[in-house]
């Protein structure tokens, strides 16, 4: 196995937190929409998913993962796709595979202070 392909194989430890997620008990369609999901339904699903995330014991880990890796799709850590896009575009943080591996398990540096400035009154 080459060094490059070793980097692309997630370890059990890297993903272990996901099995503790509150989303495990809910339909995945609430967290990830398809192309043909009507806009209104998508927004309702996102609101419900964000609400579920609010009671999740691994919310911060999930959020840090999503921000650190630039997850583009779905609700992660109580943040919608658009919310993460706004946060990341503002931070202008480009990440590499090395960054992802180094940051795995760490708190994303901009994750701590985003609620007050970025999420007030916004769910999209
Ligand atoms: S924060 Fe949300 S998306 Fe992440 S594991 Fe918890 S319930 Fe699932």
């Amino acid at each position: 196995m080459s060094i490059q392909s070793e980097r692309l194989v997630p370890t059990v430890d890297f993903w272990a937190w996901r099995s503790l997620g509150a989303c495990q008990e809910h339909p995945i369609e609430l967290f990830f929409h398809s192309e043909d999901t009507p806009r209104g339904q998508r927004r309702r699903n996102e609101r419900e998913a964000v609400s579920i995330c609010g009671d999740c014991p691994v919310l911060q880990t999930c959020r840090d993962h999503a921000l650190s890796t630039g997850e583009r799709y779905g609700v992660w850590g109580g943040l919608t796709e658009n919310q993460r896009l706004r946060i990341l575009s503002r931070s202008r943080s480009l990440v590499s595979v090395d960054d992802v591996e180094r940051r795995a398990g760490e708190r994303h540096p901009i994750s701590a202070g985003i609620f007050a400035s970025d999420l007030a009154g916004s769910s999209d």
Side-chain angles (χ1 to χ4, degrees), residues 21-23 31 53 56 58-59 62 75 77:
C23 52
F31 292 82
C53 292
C56 180
V58 292
L59 181 147
C62 181
V75 171

Side-chain angles (χ1 to χ4, degrees), residues 18-92:
R18 292 195 69 190
S19 66
L20 302 174
C23 52
Q24 300 298 309
E25 305 293 323
H26 297 275
I28 196 166
E29 293 79 16
L30 293 177
F31 292 82
F32 295 93
H33 65 87
S34 62
E35 289 285 328
D36 59 350
T37 303
R39 188 179 180 95
Q41 184 63 52
R42 176 182 166 184
R43 288 184 181 270
R44 284 191 294 277
N45 288 352
E46 282 182 336
R47 279 195 296 271
E48 187 170 347
V50 167
S51 175
I52 292 166
C53 292
D55 292 327
C56 180
V58 292
L59 181 147
Q60 193 61 57
T61 301
C62 181
R63 177 176 296 169
D64 290 344
H65 163 78
L67 291 172
S68 296
T69 60
E71 288 283 359
R72 292 187 62 186
Y73 303 106
V75 171
W76 292 75
L79 298 175
T80 66
E81 294 169 5
N82 288 340
Q83 288 172 327
R84 289 195 310 278
L85 191 61
R86 280 198 300 271
I87 291 165
L88 290 174
S89 64
R90 200 184 63 204
S91 75
R92 300 184 196 285

